Amino acid sequence: MAEADVAIVGGGAGGTLVAIQLLRQARPPLSITLVEPGERLGRGVAYSTREPEHLLNVPAGKLSALPDAPDHFARWARSPASAFVARGRYGDYLDDTLREAAARAARDVSFEIRRDTAISAAAAAAHGRVRLSLASGEQLDAGIAVLALGNLPAGDLAVHDGGLYATGRYARSPFLPGALDGIDPDAPVVFLGSGLTMVDGAVSLRARGHRGRLHAISRHGLIPQVHGASRPSRARVGGIGVRGLLRALRTEASRGGDWRAVFDSFRSATQRVWLRLPLSERKRFLRHVRAYWEVHRHRMAPPVGAAISAMRESGQLSIHAGRVVSFAVEPESALVRYRPRGSREAVEIRCERVVNCMGPATRLDEARSPLLSSLLASGLACPGSLGMGLATDPDGAVLGSSGHLFTLGSLRRGDVWESTAIPELREQARALASRIVSVGTIPQLRHASL
């Protein structure tokens, strides 16, 4: 049986950032094992793309992996701070930064990558450690385990699919290998969802020379806004949370200001405001404001926005507000039936392929993760606020785990809301690592494992 002081489950951006911070902060002796089945670290779904038209949706100057070196990524990329760099390069940057941190780690701090998948977790029989069962059949005992699972995959729509989901006419994500391959350039395609995932799918098809109609269907028919010039905001968000934000936006607009600057200035206060909101207000936000928040908060790079605008103006890309009713499979096409917002009559669209672009699942009951199911069943974790992720303390320690289990990113979204972008992930990774290597924590774990 393998052992480690700290096991990191997941080698995407979140897991890589945690490893970087642990290696930079560690007090020896300390053993760190990162469990990740993929060959490349720091990529996950977001940064594994190699398509040049997929750009980061945040300027380079705001994407340093190191909170104490804000220009670290821009210098690595040799890019102006205001530039929107190809997204695949960011995965390379995280990998390079991790390698450098490992090379500079203190003596007796070890770092191992285990190419495997954690499928379940439970408390070990002795010493209160966490036992991870791996897909290979091996087990890994750790004093502390960090769940860095990234965004949870989107589920299929719970409608009658007519057999579509089992055919090649359906892609569960535009990022899966072959998801956009083999499509007739003149054939129509339907995207389920109209957010940033749909944007990636649309610009990918455009780059391949696709000429056919593209249809994006979402409940509200909203698409992400576009980044503008970065300007400071004079707006102040009041202490009443969401209402204060909306008042600030209106005030800035009335002054001829830019709502983007208000959103950006509010970023550092989002967690504080969210934590103050009662559960009823959080539910109200998710029901009525969330869709509008997402498209204003998570924006497109200007070149991507220009491409999407051109596709809409030419009539190639259409955005439909409505609910999908059902699917059917015909000899030469897939049939999508949806009910437009405000209408009782269903509309039909025939297409060659249906691509799920609904974005990541946010609720645990949508996750379909054996690892998360085992944690809940064993009592090592409990659901977070609104069933979104796991319940955690301010440093990311999972409640119910007696300080032996931590998490970051999407699994903290119910507690802190904004929790998936690099600026939030790097701060969570630093706080989490500081907590783990704090005085007395690691020595006790090492003594217990002897």
Side-chain angles (χ1 to χ4, degrees), residues 154-166:
D156 301 326
L157 279 176
V159 300
H160 179 66
D161 75 315
L164 174 70
Y165 294 159

Side-chain angles (χ1 to χ4, degrees), residues 381-440:
C382 56
S385 176
L386 304 166
M388 298 171 64
L390 303 176
T392 63
D393 74 5
D395 291 332
V398 176
L399 301 184
S401 69
S402 301
H404 295 290
L405 188 66
F406 288 75
T407 192
L408 78 166
S410 63
L411 289 179
R412 296 195 64 197
R413 201 165 189 203
D415 288 345
V416 299
W417 181 238
E418 288 291 351
S419 188
T420 58
I422 293 297
E424 284 76 36
L425 285 177
R426 69 186 175 210
E427 293 294 345
Q428 290 181 20
R430 178 166 66 172
L432 186 158
S434 297
R435 169 83 170 269
I436 290 175
V437 303
S438 61
V439 176

Side-chain angles (χ1 to χ4, degrees), residues 270-277 282 285 414-417:
T270 303
Q271 179 175 338
R272 172 173 50 83
V273 171
W274 182 261
L275 289 171
R276 284 206 304 259
L277 291 177
R282 295 184 190 185
F285 174 89
D415 288 345
V416 299
W417 181 238

Side-chain angles (χ1 to χ4, degrees), residues 24 63 71 75 86 96 109 115 135 140 149 160 178 206 219 227 257 263 268 278 299 335 341 364 394 404-405:
R24 287 166 60 89
L63 285 174
D71 63 343
R75 286 190 289 108
D96 279 359
V109 173
R115 304 293 180 185
L140 172 63
L149 305 185
H160 179 66
R206 181 176 186 263
R219 289 179 59 186
H227 277 279
F263 267 84
S268 61
R299 307 191 286 270
L335 179 66
R341 192 176 178 89
L364 284 182
H404 295 290
L405 188 66

Side-chain angles (χ1 to χ4, degrees), residues 50-65:
R50 287 297 176 185
E51 300 192 35
E53 62 274 6
H54 289 170
L55 303 182
L56 292 164
N57 60 359
V58 177
K62 298 182 179 181
L63 285 174
S64 171

Side-chain angles (χ1 to χ4, degrees), residues 13 33 53 97 122 124 167 176 265 282 325 332 368 405 412 425:
T33 297
E53 62 274 6
T97 306
T167 72
L176 291 174
S265 65
R282 295 184 190 185
V325 176
E332 301 296 330
R368 298 181 299 179
L405 188 66
R412 296 195 64 197
L425 285 177

Side-chain angles (χ1 to χ4, degrees), residues 17 23 31 93 110 124 151 156-157 179-180 226-227 249 254 272 305 358 415 420 422:
L17 288 169
L23 289 165
S31 61
Y93 161 70
S110 66
N151 287 323
D156 301 326
L157 279 176
L180 302 179
V226 181
H227 277 279
L249 287 168
S254 69
R272 172 173 50 83
M358 295 187 296
D415 288 345
T420 58
I422 293 297

